[in-house]
């Protein structure tokens, strides 16, 4: 069903782009203080804030429209993701709470639900496990990045966990989130034993790397290793998921 696939992909891409555009608009006061965001068009003045806000509204509106052409459930989930990212994360939690990363992980875990609902609006156990995978994966992934960029977040006044609680507390939190991933594959048995074993092994491997961080003297080097592992972890899990499904 190419029409369903295209509507879902286009709609998802557009609402993500629109949400990110709004984030650029809203954070234009703190973006100049951070190395990774100081060259955004909203900072350099290449694009006016008003145009960025308009772009955001247009992209989100068209994106929701495409998702609605798929089915109502997909559109509702997409809209929830937008509200979670713009409202709950960007405007409410990001600058106020150390739990901002956790709040932001809600919207980041929505895409698998959109993809699943496009085919089957009756969401069963597996799509919710995919949601949990994405949700639990994000804190250790972004905390590793936050450790590398801790001084930038400090300068911008963003209360990221490494800024507020320090590296030791961040390491503990990262390991707890990774440990929470270990049981999830056992609820995904319909993908086959190979996938369950692989996903469990990757999660345990990530936890071992996390625990090894207590022995490493260079916290930033460890954070970099955790960040790279997290990228490969998620990539492998989703690629293998496609393969075992096709087989």
């Amino acid at each position: 069903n190419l029409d369903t696939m295209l509507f879902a992909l286009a709609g998802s891409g557009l609402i993500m782009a629109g949400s990110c555009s709004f984030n650029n608009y809203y954070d234009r006061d703190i973006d100049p203080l951070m190395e990774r965001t100081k060259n955004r068009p909203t900072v350099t003045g290449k694009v006016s804030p008003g145009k960025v806000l308009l772009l955001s509204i247009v992209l989100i509106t068209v994106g929701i429209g495409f998702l609605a052409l798929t089915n109502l459930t997909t559109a509702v989930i997409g809209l929830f993701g937008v509200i979670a990212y713009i409202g709950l994360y960007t405007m409410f939690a990001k600058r106020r709470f150390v739990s901002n990363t956790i709040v932001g992980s809600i919207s980041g875990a929505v895409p698998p639900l959109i993809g699943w609902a496009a085919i089957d609006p009756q969401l069963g156990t597996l799509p919710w496990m995919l949601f949990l995978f994405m949700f639990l994966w994000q804190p250790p992934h972004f905390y590793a990045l936050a450790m590398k960029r801790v001084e930038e977040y400090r300068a911008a006044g963003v209360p990221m966990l490494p800024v507020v609680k320090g590296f030791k507390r961040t390491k503990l939190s990262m390991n707890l989130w990774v440990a929470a991933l270990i049981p999830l594959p056992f609820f995904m048995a319909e993908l086959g034993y190979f996938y369950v074993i692989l996903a469990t092994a990757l999660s345990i491997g990530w936890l071992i790397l996390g625990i090894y961080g207590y022995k490493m003297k260079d916290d930033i080097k460890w954070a970099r290793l955790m960040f790279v592992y997290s990228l490969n972890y998620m990539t492998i899990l989703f690629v293998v998921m496609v393969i075992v499904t096709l087989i």
Side-chain angles (χ1 to χ4, degrees), residues 86-225:
I86 290 179
L88 292 180
Y89 173 66
T90 300
M91 300 180 68
F92 178 68
K94 182 176 181 178
R95 306 189 192 198
R96 291 182 175 89
F97 305 108
V98 70
S99 58
N100 52 13
T101 303
I102 300 171
V103 174
S105 297
I106 298 173
S107 58
V110 164
L113 292 180
I114 294 177
W116 192 284
I119 305 299
D120 180 13
Q122 303 299 319
L123 299 173
T125 301
L126 188 54
W128 285 110
M129 289 302 104
L130 296 180
F131 175 87
L132 281 177
F133 249 119
M134 291 293 294
F135 176 76
L136 296 174
W137 169 83
Q138 287 175 90
H141 169 76
F142 284 110
Y143 286 153
L145 178 62
M147 287 179 67
K148 294 167 57 182
R149 304 282 188 174
V150 63
E151 295 306 324
E152 294 182 33
Y153 283 114
R154 196 188 311 278
V158 180
M160 297 294 288
L161 185 61
V163 175
V164 179
K165 301 291 186 178
F167 284 178
K168 184 178 180 180
R169 177 63 177 80
T170 302
K171 284 184 177 182
L172 173 61
S173 183
M174 289 170 69
N175 287 329
L176 290 175
W177 284 103
V178 172
L181 285 165
I182 296 176
L184 292 187
F186 296 97
F187 296 93
M188 306 170 73
E190 60 187 282
L191 293 175
Y193 291 113
F194 174 77
Y195 186 83
V196 172
I197 293 171
L198 176 65
T200 304
L202 286 173
S203 296
I204 293 174
W206 196 3
L207 182 59
I208 291 173
L209 177 61
I211 294 173
Y212 182 69
Y214 291 109
K215 294 184 177 181
M216 290 185 65
K217 295 181 179 180
D218 190 338
D219 289 331
I220 301 302
K221 181 178 180 180
W222 173 80
R224 188 178 298 112
L225 291 174

Side-chain angles (χ1 to χ4, degrees), residues 5-162:
M5 182 184 74
L6 291 175
F7 288 148
L9 288 175
S12 299
L14 288 170
I15 63 172
M16 291 176 195
S19 299
C20 288
S21 295
F22 183 87
N23 180 270
N24 280 211
Y25 165 79
Y26 194 81
D27 284 349
R28 65 190 187 280
D29 59 328
I30 62 173
D31 282 346
L33 304 174
M34 302 181 65
E35 185 68 27
R36 71 183 184 88
T37 57
K38 69 179 184 180
N39 292 318
R40 286 178 171 175
T42 43
V43 175
T44 62
K46 188 175 182 179
V47 181
S48 68
K51 289 182 178 179
V52 174
L53 180 59
L54 177 61
L55 176 66
S56 172
I57 295 172
V58 171
L59 289 174
I60 291 172
T61 302
V62 175
I64 294 297
F66 273 121
L67 293 179
L69 290 174
T70 306
N71 59 58
L72 181 59
T73 303
T74 306
V76 170
I77 294 173
L79 182 60
F80 169 76
V82 170
I83 294 172
Y85 185 77
I86 290 179
L88 292 180
Y89 173 66
T90 300
M91 300 180 68
F92 178 68
K94 182 176 181 178
R95 306 189 192 198
R96 291 182 175 89
F97 305 108
V98 70
S99 58
N100 52 13
T101 303
I102 300 171
V103 174
S105 297
I106 298 173
S107 58
V110 164
L113 292 180
I114 294 177
W116 192 284
I119 305 299
D120 180 13
Q122 303 299 319
L123 299 173
T125 301
L126 188 54
W128 285 110
M129 289 302 104
L130 296 180
F131 175 87
L132 281 177
F133 249 119
M134 291 293 294
F135 176 76
L136 296 174
W137 169 83
Q138 287 175 90
H141 169 76
F142 284 110
Y143 286 153
L145 178 62
M147 287 179 67
K148 294 167 57 182
R149 304 282 188 174
V150 63
E151 295 306 324
E152 294 182 33
Y153 283 114
R154 196 188 311 278
V158 180
M160 297 294 288
L161 185 61

